[in-house]
Amino acid sequence: MADGQRLQRVKPIHWIGVVVAAVLLLVAVVLVPGTAGAPVPASCPQRWDSDRIGRWVPAAADLDGVADSLVPGEPAGALICAYPGHNTKPGRPLAGSRTLTDQAASMAHDLGYLPVTTDPPEMVCTLVGGQVTNYLIRFAYPDGQALWVGSAEEVNSCVMTTNGTVVSNAYVGPSITAAYRTGTWRLLPPKGPCEPATGRRGQDEQMVPDGAIKVLICRQVPRNSTPSPSPGREYGERQARELAAELNSLDAEPSRSVCEEVGGRRREVLHLHFGYAEGPPAWVRILPACRPSVDNGMLMSDANVAFLDRIGRLAPA
């Protein structure tokens, strides 16, 4: 009975679009490290040799920076290996490959900016069955070294990407699919400026990494169970850094992607997108009617009423 009562109190927040199915699976994601220093294969493995979606590589590279970035340094080429299948049985034979040369540096740059951690957060995934394509990407370096990155495009968009040492929960599957099909890499932007993007490296240590020069604040209000988007309101460097400092001062812990709804406050979602001179924005989601109220996909924390009220005043009506 105690377990049942606990499950009734802690509710995934369906009305913000974080969870889109009635039945949820809380997945404790476990990092499966490769063998550090093991030889990195020079060609695509003939099979996706794992029952996991995305988060597998045939060997972990022994390269400087692999504990801080998915793709450190400046590789000279990239080989994309595709393994299409079904998410109930992701292990499948190799279907094809695509080699990128002049696009490899750009791909490495974008993947290298994704937030990573050695302690993966839990993820809430919908249980929709459907197609999945697992990908292995072999980055080759001018000195002869190489590194594998494992990722996937999956019907639930619930994927961990890994280099065998660190993982990221930023979803880049559609971008990899586009690069595999066209031979051109481009990190696909979110559908709108107020939609959460991939996040930024360092968000496993700080809610907002240092150096923000602007912030876009957006408000979504649920209407008939579907959040209604509103135009964002942008502020400059002073406001961005003040808000970042306040968010970083909160006591944070690894995100669990769920929260407990509380009464007394408006049911809405506030998205903060912190922009930088270079690289992707860092996004933070604030749920004033939920505890914990602050989450960036890697960390979560709870803000006091005064801070929540201040963000509410800064957001567009």
Side-chain angles (χ1 to χ4, degrees):
M1 178 64 70
D3 286 344
Q5 292 173 343
R6 181 181 62 82
L7 288 173
Q8 291 174 6
R9 291 197 302 269
V10 180
K11 303 176 183 178
I13 305 303
H14 300 266
W15 45 268
I16 63 172
V18 174
V19 180
V20 297
V23 180
L24 302 176
L25 173 65
L26 184 62
V27 180
V29 181
V30 179
L31 174 63
V32 181
T35 303
V40 177
S43 60
C44 294
Q46 291 303 300
R47 188 175 186 87
W48 179 266
D49 194 16
S50 175
D51 59 359
R52 303 177 187 276
I53 296 174
R55 55 187 185 274
W56 173 76
V57 293
D62 186 14
L63 288 172
D64 290 341
V66 293
D68 303 311
S69 171
L70 275 178
V71 189
E74 298 182 2
L79 173 67
I80 305 176
C81 314
Y83 305 85
H86 195 277
N87 59 8
T88 59
K89 191 177 180 181
R92 285 291 187 271
L94 175 70
S97 64
R98 167 80 73 169
T99 299
L100 305 182
T101 51
D102 58 336
Q103 302 286 312
S106 176
M107 188 179 199
H109 176 273
D110 290 340
L111 295 183
Y113 255 120
L114 299 181
V116 296
T117 179
T118 56
D119 184 21
E122 297 175 348
M123 295 178 68
V124 175
C125 302
T126 56
L127 291 176
V128 177
Q131 296 300 306
V132 61
T133 299
N134 283 302
Y135 290 105
L136 289 173
I137 309 168
R138 184 184 188 272
F139 288 95
Y141 290 80
D143 62 0
Q145 296 189 84
L147 171 143
W148 283 109
V149 170
S151 190
E153 181 175 17
E154 195 260 349
V155 65
N156 299 292
S157 304
C158 199
V159 174
M160 280 282 185
T161 298
T162 185
N163 65 8
T165 301
V166 292
V167 297
S168 176
N169 63 357
Y171 184 53
V172 292
S175 298
I176 299 174
T177 295
Y180 172 71
R181 291 175 177 172
T182 67
T184 300
W185 167 259
R186 183 172 75 96
L187 187 61
L188 300 177
K191 294 179 180 179
C194 287
E195 295 296 320
T198 55
R200 186 177 177 89
R201 189 175 61 221
Q203 287 199 265
D204 63 311
E205 297 178 346
Q206 290 181 293
M207 194 65 66
V208 184
D210 294 337
I213 59 172
K214 60 183 178 181
V215 61
L216 177 71
I217 302 179
C218 305
R219 186 195 303 271
Q220 289 183 320
V221 179
R223 295 175 183 171
N224 299 322
S225 299
T226 301
S228 60
S230 65
R233 181 177 294 168
E234 187 169 280
Y235 297 88
E237 184 172 347
R238 182 185 63 82
Q239 191 72 266
R241 299 203 173 185
E242 286 179 1
L243 292 176
E246 290 186 65
L247 288 166
N248 289 335
S249 71
L250 303 175
D251 293 331
E253 59 181 301
S255 173
R256 297 192 301 274
S257 298
V258 294
C259 63
E260 181 179 358
E261 187 175 357
V262 297
R265 297 194 71 91
R266 187 184 187 189
R267 300 176 73 197
E268 61 183 1
V269 190
L270 303 173
H271 282 127
L272 280 65
H273 299 260
F274 290 87
Y276 295 79
E278 181 183 358
W283 66 267
V284 176
R285 183 180 63 238
I286 297 178
L287 307 175
C290 208
R291 296 294 180 272
S293 56
V294 181
D295 198 306
N296 71 358
M298 304 291 282
L299 299 173
M300 66 180 187
S301 58
D302 205 17
N304 59 38
V305 172
F307 181 77
L308 295 176
D309 288 342
R310 180 185 177 194
I311 296 297
R313 291 192 298 270
L314 291 173

